[in-house]
């Protein structure tokens, strides 16, 4: 029997009423109502209802025929709503709130803005300007793209005289193709764009071919996305992201003395007044890796609840229901024109390749200062350490076909973790823990059970650092749902297994690498984490990588005292394991040695490993399969790395400037002590290396291009002596994210 009766409706009316048709305001909050309790026959009698409160219930959707023709205000906070398209049945709705519905996303905001033409307030914020943009500008651009797609690829496929079967076939192909290939705006709105594109395409076919129009699109396909920034929509929290104007100016000739960058870098690393645990430790510390005294007291940190930044309806790149920020985050604007710039683009001086042509052309999009301590615009000291692009969500057993690569990146440094849209420069979300210093972030995709025992994939972000604690953040729900006290000393780096979604590796200053099963949270975010394995290292592990051909069996780590490999297969009895092999590399005198700091480590493909720095000015490429015999027995073997080639790099002796790879494009990236990014396109070499008889390249391979750091000015002063701590590209090498020692995140785009 339904919980809602005529008597209940009359009693909960405000004020109480004697007849249903006289009720204008109705409060049905906190009644544990489910969707089946909303009886359309009973609600159809509320002909003059204008305000309805359904907050704090258990609704997962709305029935399609509630028939409330005069409804103006609707409150659905704190439910379990998963779809909003049924709200189109309330065309006069002016005010709508649905905060704390964890399965609703930014895409749903845009759907209701399109569907409800009279909507003025969404979650308490004025969305009039943004909604007009969505309904007009966005629709106009998408319509143009859909029409162009038909004209280019499908118009000639349809004969002058066509049968119903031919029309049906081409309709199916066109709808599939147009949703896959028409891309517009940020990837955070790809679902909405796909939804609107299908709607527009069906309208186009109905008009052009006289087909029946499907007026009830499926809820999975979401409405059209906003145009890139939508800066007029949410108001931006000045207290979180102070505006700093930094004007890039044309790079001048180098007037500094040779080696000045090195001198500053070394002194910076050794003359910090505050003793802090920091990945950039001096070399003598490797014998005693215990972290220095923390900058702040050892009091328990506040829960890493996501910071409520903006007051608008904008959300995270994949989904953030509340507290969103659409600010371009303290942009050190590379967009502001200076008299020395052409079209606002900083001039680059790339290194020429052997043919004298630029192999790559890239331009800076954004310079962001979004990790400031205490949100200070004067903070140019916070070190930024790690960044990882958000993975694409699975659509069943397949990847999302709409976007070839995510453009949302997670970055960390200081007390905060940020999510950034690389195209727009928008800081989508920022998480803070006041007593933390974050060193590493990693993504995984968990298949979580939602209402009615249905399953849905969600991206989870793990963040860790000085306190030895891993924070687990459910990005779609905008919620840090738990933590794992993984180590008693700082965590240098973390990574997830590519084959086991719940398996997380944490590498710590305690000279151990731990494997955790983080579990899958239930609908109330209860989860159970367990430690599966502990790998013993002889020195602090700095970088870790799983062997691509056997990620469940072998892990490599670049450490303060060498490069090691472990067998991590879980069917072996030992829970605590010593290393299985340590690799030898040539030293500066040409002799083989195992004792050296390896502060960069990554796989270029299934076999080729890239590592640095066993000697100055050099990055090694070496073969995993030819260096390590997986059938070998015994622990703590010493094996010689089979070197394939050396990359020419900076001659700095400064450590912890790490490298990364883009396997799909055969690229290696590494920053230096002058703020430059060295890029190596190795596609011409990988085929030869894959041969069993492949010989080592005799000469060092020079960079394909060096991206020069533009001269930036903050508050009228030039930012100089910039160290590049990390450089990461998205999987398709569209964007390049550069993390620096001066609290600046630089985003470059391949042109």
């Amino acid at each position: 029997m339904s919980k809602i009766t005529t008597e209940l409706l009359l009693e909960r009316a405000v004020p109480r009423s004697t007849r249903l048709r006289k009720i204008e305001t109705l409060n049905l909050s906190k009644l544990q109502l489910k969707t089946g309790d909303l009886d359309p026959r009973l609600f159809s009698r509320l002909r003059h209802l204008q305000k309805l409160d359904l907050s704090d219930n258990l609704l997962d959707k709305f029935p399609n025929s509630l028939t409330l023709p005069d409804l103006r205000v609707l409150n659905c906070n704190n439910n379990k709503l998963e779809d909003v398209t049924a709200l189109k049945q309330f065309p006069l709705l002016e005010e709508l709130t649905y905060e704390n519905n964890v399965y609703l996303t930014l895409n749903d905001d845009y759907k209701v803005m399109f569907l409800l033409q009279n909507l003025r307030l969404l979650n308490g914020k004025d969305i009039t300007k943004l909604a007009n943009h969505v309904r007009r500008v966005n629709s106009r651009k998408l319509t143009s793209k859909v029409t162009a797609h038909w004209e280019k690829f499908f118009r000639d496929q349809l004969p002058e005289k066509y049968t119903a079967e031919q029309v049906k076939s081409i309709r199916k192909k066109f709808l599939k193709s147009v949703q896959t290939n028409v891309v517009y705006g940020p990837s955070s709105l790809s679902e909405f764009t796909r939804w609107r594109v299908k709607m527009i395409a069906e309208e186009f076919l109905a008009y052009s071919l006289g087909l029946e129009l499907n007026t009830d699109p499926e809820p999975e396909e979401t409405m059209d996305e906003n145009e890139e920034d939508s800066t007029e929509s949410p108001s931006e929290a000045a207290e979180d992201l102070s505006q700093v104007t930094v004007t890039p100016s044309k790079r001048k000739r180098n007037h500094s003395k040779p080696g000045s960058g090195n001198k500053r870098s070394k002194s910076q690393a050794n003359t910090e007044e505050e003793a802090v645990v920091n990945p950039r430790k001096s070399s003598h510390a490797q014998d005693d890796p215990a972290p220095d005294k923390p900058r702040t007291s050892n009091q328990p940190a506040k829960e890493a609840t996501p910071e409520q930044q903006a007051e608008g309806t904008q959300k995270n790149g994949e989904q953030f229901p509340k507290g969103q920020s659409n600010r371009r985050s303290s942009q050190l604007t590379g967009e502001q024109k200076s008299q020395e710039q052409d079209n606002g683009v900083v001039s680059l001086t790339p290194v020429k390749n052997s043919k004298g042509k630029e192999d790559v052309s890239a331009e800076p999009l954004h310079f962001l200062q979004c990790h400031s301590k205490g949100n200070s615009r004067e903070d140019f000291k916070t070190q930024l350490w790690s960044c990882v692009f958000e993975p694409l969500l699975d659509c069943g057993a397949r990847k999302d076909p709409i976007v070839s690569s995510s453009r949302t990146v997670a970055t960390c440094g200081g007390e905060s973790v940020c999510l950034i849209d690389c195209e727009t420069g928008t800081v989508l979300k920022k998480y803070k823990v006041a007593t933390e210093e974050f060193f590493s972030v990693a993504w995984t995709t968990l298949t979580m059970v939602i209402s009615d025992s249905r399953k849905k994939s969600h991206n989870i972000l793990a963040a860790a650092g000085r306190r030895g604690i891993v924070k687990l953040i459910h990005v779609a729900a905008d919620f840090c749902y738990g933590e794992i006290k993984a180590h008693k000393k700082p965590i240098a780096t973390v990574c997830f297994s590519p084959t086991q979604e719940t398996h997380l590796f944490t590498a710590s200053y305690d000279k151990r690498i731990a494997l955790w099963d983080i579990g899958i949270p239930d609908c109330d975010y209860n989860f159970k984490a367990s430690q599966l394995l502990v790998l013993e290292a002889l020195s602090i592990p700095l970088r870790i990588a799983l062997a691509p051909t056997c990620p469940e069996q072998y892990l490599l780590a670049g450490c303060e005292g060498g490069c090691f490999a472990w067998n991590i297969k879980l069917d072996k009895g030992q829970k605590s394991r010593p290393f299985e092999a340590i690799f030898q590399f040539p030293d500066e005198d040409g002799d083989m040695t195992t004792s050296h700091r390896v502060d960069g480590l990554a796989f270029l493909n299934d076999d080729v490993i890239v590592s640095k720095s066993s000697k100055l000015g050099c990055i090694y490429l070496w073969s995993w399969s030819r260096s390590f015999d997986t059938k070998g027995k015994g622990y703590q073997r010493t094996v010689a790395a089979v070197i394939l080639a050396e990359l020419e790099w900076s001659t700095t002796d400064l450590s912890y400037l790490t490298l990364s790879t883009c396997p799909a494009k055969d690229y290696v990236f590494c920053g230096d002590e002058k703020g430059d990014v060295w890029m190596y396109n190795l596609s011409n070499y990988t085929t030869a290396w894959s041969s069993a008889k492949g010989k080592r390249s005799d000469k060092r391979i020079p960079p394909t291009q060096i991206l020069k750091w533009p001269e930036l000015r903050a508050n009228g002063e030039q930012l100089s002596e910039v160290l590049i701590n990390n450089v990461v590209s998205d999987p398709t090498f569209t964007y390049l994210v550069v993390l620096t020692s001066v609290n600046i995140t630089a985003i470059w785009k391949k042109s």
Side-chain angles (χ1 to χ4, degrees):
M1 182 177 177
S2 174
K3 295 181 180 180
I4 299 181
T5 62
T6 300
E7 291 74 19
L8 177 67
L9 294 179
L10 294 174
E11 181 182 343
R12 304 279 293 201
V14 183
R16 289 189 180 185
S17 179
T18 57
R19 295 191 179 185
L20 293 180
R21 68 170 182 263
K22 291 185 177 181
I23 297 177
E24 294 186 357
T25 302
L26 182 61
N27 184 352
L28 297 178
S29 64
K30 300 179 181 179
L31 292 176
Q32 299 292 300
L33 297 178
K34 296 183 178 179
T35 299
D37 295 320
L38 304 182
D39 185 358
R41 291 175 298 177
L42 191 56
F43 273 74
S44 66
R45 298 166 61 187
L46 300 169
R47 305 296 296 176
H48 298 290
L49 184 65
Q50 295 189 19
K51 296 182 180 181
L52 175 60
D53 187 350
L54 289 169
S55 61
D56 300 292
N57 283 298
L58 303 172
L59 304 175
D60 58 1
K61 61 181 179 180
F62 276 94
N64 284 321
S65 54
L66 284 185
T67 319
L68 301 173
D70 205 28
L71 189 65
R72 310 298 175 96
V73 180
L74 177 60
N75 183 350
C76 306
N77 288 344
N78 300 305
N79 278 277
K80 296 184 178 181
L81 294 176
E82 299 174 20
D83 179 58
V84 296
T85 54
L87 295 176
K88 67 181 180 181
Q89 65 185 297
F90 311 128
L92 299 184
L93 205 60
E94 298 176 358
E95 300 180 20
L96 172 64
T97 55
Y98 48 60
E99 294 181 312
N100 296 330
N101 284 271
V102 298
Y103 303 117
L104 295 186
T105 74
L106 174 61
N107 293 281
D108 296 294
D109 288 357
Y110 279 74
K111 285 181 181 180
V112 296
M113 281 188 272
F114 177 79
L115 292 171
L116 302 173
Q117 299 292 309
N118 290 310
L119 193 65
R120 296 183 296 103
L121 297 178
L122 180 59
N123 294 329
K125 310 306 172 186
D126 188 344
I127 50 91
T128 305
K129 290 183 179 180
L130 178 58
N132 286 336
H133 179 90
V134 169
R135 297 166 194 150
R136 297 174 186 173
V137 178
N138 191 281
S139 294
R140 184 171 64 247
K141 295 203 173 190
L142 285 178
T143 300
S144 175
K145 286 175 175 283
V146 168
T147 304
H149 191 75
W150 169 267
E151 294 291 327
K152 184 174 182 180
F153 299 106
F154 287 89
R155 185 180 66 174
D156 294 338
Q157 295 184 28
L158 196 64
E160 292 185 11
K161 295 182 180 180
Y162 45 80
T163 64
E165 200 61 37
Q166 288 175 317
V167 170
K168 182 178 179 181
S169 174
I170 200 168
R171 176 186 182 275
K172 182 178 180 180
K173 292 179 181 178
F174 176 59
L175 291 179
K176 180 179 180 180
S177 176
V178 77
Q179 290 178 84
T180 302
N181 294 290
V182 172
V183 180
Y184 175 67
S187 60
S188 56
L189 291 169
S190 60
E191 180 197 349
F192 168 72
T193 299
R194 186 159 67 251
W195 179 78
R196 275 293 288 135
V197 163
K198 183 181 180 184
M199 186 183 298
I200 292 169
E202 289 182 327
E203 291 171 353
F204 174 82
L205 292 176
Y207 176 79
S208 302
L209 305 179
L211 301 181
E212 182 178 348
L213 180 63
N214 178 10
T215 58
D216 189 20
E218 293 138 11
E220 292 83 17
E221 300 165 327
T222 323
M223 168 175 142
D224 132 84
E225 63 192 342
N226 77 336
E227 181 168 28
E228 310 260 347
D229 299 346
S230 299
T231 53
E232 60 250 280
S233 64
S235 52
E236 303 152 351
E239 67 271 19
D240 279 341
L241 298 169
S242 54
Q243 184 68 32
V244 178
T245 301
V246 174
T247 307
S249 57
K250 204 167 187 177
R251 192 172 187 82
K252 300 181 178 68
R253 303 288 182 190
N254 186 4
H255 299 300
S256 59
K257 296 180 181 180
S260 61
N262 267 355
K263 183 178 179 180
R264 184 267 177 194
S265 302
K266 293 172 67 176
S267 65
Q268 181 195 33
N270 296 321
T271 60
E272 289 279 9
E273 294 181 4
E274 297 171 288
V276 296
V277 176
N278 195 306
R280 180 166 285 114
K281 297 181 70 175
S282 55
S283 58
H284 67 267
Q286 59 181 311
D287 296 327
D288 182 16
D292 295 328
K293 198 171 183 179
R295 178 183 297 149
T296 54
S297 66
N298 234 353
Q299 297 173 353
K302 295 181 180 179
E303 181 63 29
T305 50
E307 207 176 7
Q308 302 307 312
Q309 287 186 302
E311 300 177 354
T313 59
Q314 204 73 359
K315 299 173 186 170
N316 158 27
E318 278 304 323
Q319 306 150 339
F320 273 22
K322 60 176 183 175
Q324 315 84 339
S325 174
N326 192 36
R327 172 176 290 278
R328 282 182 179 263
S329 167
S330 307
Q331 276 195 34
L332 305 152
T333 43
E335 299 165 1
Q336 293 190 356
K337 295 183 179 180
S338 73
Q339 293 178 350
E340 298 175 324
Q341 291 175 303
D342 295 325
N343 300 322
V345 178
V346 177
S347 298
L348 305 178
T349 311
V351 171
K352 305 292 183 181
N353 63 16
S354 58
K355 296 181 181 180
K357 298 179 180 178
E358 295 178 14
D359 185 67
V360 179
S361 179
E363 62 181 19
L365 283 185
H366 310 285
F367 295 87
L368 311 176
Q369 185 192 17
C370 51
H371 289 270
S372 299
K373 185 175 179 61
N375 302 312
S376 169
R377 68 178 64 193
E378 307 300 328
D379 180 4
F380 293 101
K381 294 182 179 180
T382 294
Q383 300 261 7
L384 310 184
W385 295 114
S386 175
C387 60
V388 188
F389 276 84
E390 184 172 14
L392 297 172
L393 286 172
D394 286 334
C395 297
R398 61 186 176 85
K399 288 289 185 182
D400 184 350
I402 304 304
V403 185
S404 59
S405 172
S406 168
R407 67 189 206 189
T408 302
V409 68
T411 62
C412 76
E415 63 188 11
S416 60
V417 174
C418 293
L419 272 78
I420 301 170
D421 184 318
C422 289
E423 180 65 27
T424 65
T426 302
V427 176
L428 303 165
K429 197 61 193 176
K430 186 174 182 179
Y431 302 86
K432 279 190 179 181
V433 180
T435 58
E436 182 62 279
E437 181 180 4
F438 287 106
F439 292 159
S440 186
V441 286
W443 290 98
T444 189
T445 303
L446 299 184
T447 303
M448 301 166 62
V449 177
I450 56 177
S451 59
D452 299 331
S453 299
R454 288 181 293 141
K455 295 182 178 181
K456 189 173 183 179
S457 295
H458 287 283
N459 284 333
I460 301 297
L461 182 67
R466 179 173 55 81
R467 297 176 64 231
I469 295 174
V470 179
K471 294 290 184 179
L472 299 174
I473 303 168
H474 182 189
V475 175
D478 192 12
F479 183 49
C480 177
Y481 68 85
E483 64 179 33
I484 300 172
K485 296 179 180 178
H487 300 269
K488 293 182 179 180
K489 290 189 177 181
I491 296 174
T493 186
V494 298
C495 80
F496 279 99
S497 165
T499 56
Q500 300 291 329
E501 61 183 8
T502 62
H503 285 190
L504 175 69
F505 291 89
T506 58
S508 171
Y509 280 64
D510 62 10
K511 302 181 185 179
R512 292 182 176 90
I513 301 171
L515 170 59
W516 302 85
D517 188 333
I518 66 170
I520 297 179
D522 60 22
C523 57
D524 295 318
Y525 289 102
N526 298 310
F527 74 103
K528 184 179 180 180
S530 58
Q531 188 182 82
L532 303 178
L533 199 61
V534 175
L535 310 177
E536 302 289 345
L538 298 181
S539 57
I540 298 174
L542 303 172
R543 304 292 166 195
I544 56 179
L546 294 162
T549 55
C550 45
E552 297 177 8
Q553 186 166 1
Y554 289 104
L555 176 141
L556 283 77
C559 303
E560 286 281 1
C563 185
F564 301 82
W566 286 264
N567 189 321
I568 58 173
K569 204 166 185 179
L570 292 176
D571 60 3
K572 297 170 70 71
Q574 284 179 288
K575 186 174 180 180
S576 178
R577 299 178 191 173
F579 65 87
E580 189 155 313
I582 182 171
F583 296 94
Q584 288 181 322
F585 293 86
D587 61 17
E588 294 183 16
D589 299 323
D591 299 325
M592 300 299 286
T593 179
T594 59
S595 181
H596 56 94
R597 178 186 295 114
V598 179
D599 58 6
L601 181 72
F603 275 86
L604 179 63
N605 54 36
D606 286 350
D607 184 60
V608 178
I609 303 171
V610 189
S611 66
K612 69 170 273 288
S613 53
S614 60
K615 64 180 182 180
L616 303 183
C618 174
I619 297 173
Y620 277 124
L621 292 100
W622 49 288
S623 170
W624 162 247
S625 62
R626 280 181 264 172
S627 301
F628 183 75
D629 181 6
T630 56
K631 296 180 181 179
K633 296 182 179 180
Y635 287 102
Q636 302 188 9
R637 290 177 286 156
T638 298
V639 296
V642 177
I643 307 299
L644 302 174
E646 296 181 29
L647 302 182
E648 181 182 307
W649 187 64
S650 168
T651 57
T652 179
D653 59 356
L654 187 67
S655 297
Y656 314 113
L657 307 176
T658 195
L659 57 80
S660 70
T661 61
C662 180
K665 301 296 183 180
D666 292 324
Y667 261 87
V668 174
F669 308 99
C670 192
D672 67 14
E673 80 288 359
K674 299 178 182 178
D676 300 337
V677 177
W678 300 55
M679 305 195 300
Y680 308 83
N681 182 353
L682 303 176
S683 56
N684 293 332
Y685 298 90
T686 52
T687 302
W689 292 337
S690 64
S691 169
K693 298 181 180 179
K695 296 182 179 180
R696 174 176 174 173
S697 301
D698 295 330
K699 297 181 179 180
R700 286 188 178 183
I701 300 174
T704 308
Q705 183 178 5
I706 297 179
L707 297 181
K708 309 299 288 185
W709 183 258
E711 293 185 354
L712 302 179
R713 296 185 179 276
N715 302 324
E717 296 184 4
Q718 180 180 323
L719 292 176
S720 59
E721 299 176 330
V722 178
L723 312 181
I724 303 300
N725 290 334
N726 205 341
V727 185
V728 174
S729 78
D730 66 300
T732 60
F733 188 18
T734 302
Y735 303 98
L736 199 63
V737 179
V738 179
L739 302 183
T740 71
S741 62
V742 293
N743 190 26
I744 294 176
T745 301
I747 300 175
W748 299 70
K749 186 175 183 180
K750 185 179 176 183
S751 56

